[in-house]
Amino acid sequence: MTYRVIQWAPGVVAREAVAGVVGHPDLELTGAWVHSADKDGRDVGELCGLDPLGVLATRDKDALLATDADCVCFTVGRNWVEDPTESFEDLLRILRSGKNVVNLWWPTLVYPRALAGDFYKDLEKACLEGGTSFCTVGMDPGYGTAGLALSALTLVREVSSVHMYQVMNNAHWEGPGITKFFGFGQRDSAASPILRPGVTTNYHATTLHLLADAIGTEIEEIVEDHSVIYADEAFEIASGSIPAGTISGVRYRVKGMVGGQARVVVEHVERLREEDFPELEFRGDGYRAEVTGLPSIRLDMTVSAPPDYTGDPVAVASAMSVVNAIPRVCAAPPGVLSLLDLPPFPSKNSGTRN
């Protein structure tokens, strides 16, 4: 069966999603939504830096949702950081229209039932009204942390704790945004938005609850902590200079506590030099899942690309985590899904790159 897919909003990850849809034998790209007037009516392949695809983008949401498509790949920008309302309403509208949704926007929707407020109830209602299914994956929150941990838990008889890691080198990112977000190049960690109280909990709480439900426990409290390291000498990165004595690495943890013990933990290690945080013994960019129990399991997953590939392999992985899930999501009964509900969804792409 071939599933017809609409790409909702262009961008770096969307480019990889479109390439993934085009290369998947069970998927067909049939439309795309764009926000800006200068992209309206242009070929989606051109917008994504690919060969022309014969599919034109549109700003007309009504016309797009009236087309005969099965699924929307929803990859709008990071407006959820400030206010998710507008894009959340779009999600509900799409689901009510009879189209399934795979989502990379607002990553805390990886497990909506654990999100405060009416988000889960509203999503479930929209799915039932439209006869549709909704699922968020991504890398973290998503497969890189929760998915890898669920794989490790398959082998365990007794579970004491689950610890998930993301390890990333941010030195190649261009522009000031990445340095401001983590506080790189600053002398005071208070300058790091990600380390403000409650921010990391808001980002990772649903992942903790997903894993807690997976192992049959209930989180009593969520606790944050963090540490930073400082550059011993000045050095250059893609986004500018890191002076000596300023923040060059951030390590934060979000811990789901049960009976005073950290049962489920998400940890991020954000660095600018490969040699920083050597105690991790982790080379490159990727993810780690550690399950302490009987037996104890550690899975390390690195993310890389062939030498001739000029894009970001993490963006490819993030995009394909939803693209490859489309057939499973479309075939599922109506409702809100998570990684706990879907069987494995391996790639069928033949390997041809655009």
Side-chain angles (χ1 to χ4, degrees):
M1 178 175 181
T2 299
Y3 295 98
R4 295 153 297 187
V5 181
I6 293 170
Q7 176 61 45
W8 203 273
V12 174
V13 176
R15 185 264 184 214
E16 307 297 353
V18 168
V21 169
V22 171
H24 197 296
D26 297 335
L27 305 178
E28 177 188 359
L29 185 73
T30 61
W33 178 79
V34 291
H35 183 270
S36 61
D38 66 312
K39 296 177 181 177
D40 192 13
R42 293 172 60 185
D43 189 281
V44 179
E46 174 194 353
L47 292 176
C48 293
L50 306 173
D51 294 335
L53 299 174
V55 177
L56 301 183
T58 180
R59 300 174 71 198
D60 190 336
K61 295 178 182 179
D62 289 332
L64 196 58
L65 293 180
T67 61
D68 190 19
D70 301 293
C71 189
V72 169
C73 184
F74 199 80
T75 61
V76 297
R78 294 173 62 89
N79 62 355
W80 57 268
V81 176
E82 300 297 333
D83 180 11
T85 306
E86 179 182 358
S87 293
F88 189 75
E89 288 302 316
D90 278 342
L91 272 183
L92 299 180
R93 181 181 179 187
I94 294 166
L95 291 166
R96 292 191 194 105
S97 78
K99 292 171 177 57
N100 304 287
V101 174
V102 291
N103 173 53
L104 282 174
W105 168 81
W106 199 9
T108 49
L109 291 177
V110 71
Y111 200 51
R113 69 176 64 246
L115 196 60
D118 294 330
F119 295 105
Y120 174 72
K121 180 182 71 175
D122 291 344
L123 283 169
E124 187 74 11
K125 181 180 178 183
C127 287
L128 295 178
E129 289 178 2
T132 52
S133 296
F134 170 84
C135 190
T136 301
V137 192
M139 290 305 287
D140 179 53
Y143 185 84
T145 45
L148 198 63
L150 291 172
S151 295
L153 285 166
T154 302
L155 307 177
V156 179
R157 187 171 74 199
E158 300 174 10
V159 182
S160 297
S161 65
V162 183
H163 196 137
M164 298 160 278
Y165 297 79
Q166 174 178 284
V167 183
M168 289 291 157
N169 187 326
N170 297 274
H172 67 282
W173 291 103
E174 297 181 355
I178 196 71
T179 54
K180 290 181 180 178
F181 189 64
F182 292 113
F184 296 138
Q186 307 297 315
R187 297 190 182 276
D188 185 354
S189 61
S192 171
I194 191 67
L195 299 182
R196 292 171 186 162
V199 172
T200 55
T201 294
N202 288 339
Y203 196 60
H204 296 289
T206 55
T207 299
L208 297 181
H209 284 288
L210 186 156
L211 265 297
D213 284 354
I215 64 174
T217 192
E218 185 173 341
I219 294 172
E220 298 167 354
E221 180 186 15
I222 294 178
V223 177
E224 305 172 345
D225 65 45
H226 69 266
S227 59
V228 299
I229 60 173
Y230 296 87
D232 51 358
E233 60 183 4
F235 61 93
E236 299 293 318
I237 59 174
S239 59
S241 300
I242 303 298
T246 65
I247 294 172
S248 61
V250 176
R251 188 171 182 175
Y252 72 75
R253 290 158 292 272
V254 188
K255 300 179 284 189
M257 309 297 290
V258 181
Q261 301 296 316
R263 294 293 307 279
V264 285
V265 180
V266 174
E267 179 167 345
H268 268 223
V269 179
E270 308 291 346
R271 57 190 177 186
L272 298 177
R273 298 178 295 187
E274 186 70 26
E275 64 268 23
D276 289 336
F277 301 105
E279 67 275 13
L280 285 173
E281 298 180 347
F282 195 105
R283 304 292 298 176
D285 293 341
Y287 301 85
R288 170 177 290 170
E290 287 184 334
V291 176
T292 302
L294 181 62
S296 293
I297 305 289
R298 186 174 91 174
L299 300 180
D300 283 359
M301 178 176 69
T302 57
V303 183
S304 60
D308 63 334
Y309 188 74
T310 57
D312 177 10
V314 176
V316 178
S318 185
M320 295 312 298
S321 74
V322 290
V323 170
N324 287 329
I326 289 173
R328 299 279 197 243
V329 173
C330 289
V336 178
L337 307 171
S338 76
L339 287 168
L340 295 179
D341 305 304
L342 294 178
F345 38 92
S347 175
K348 290 186 177 180
N349 193 300
S350 65
T352 301
R353 278 185 275 141
N354 290 286

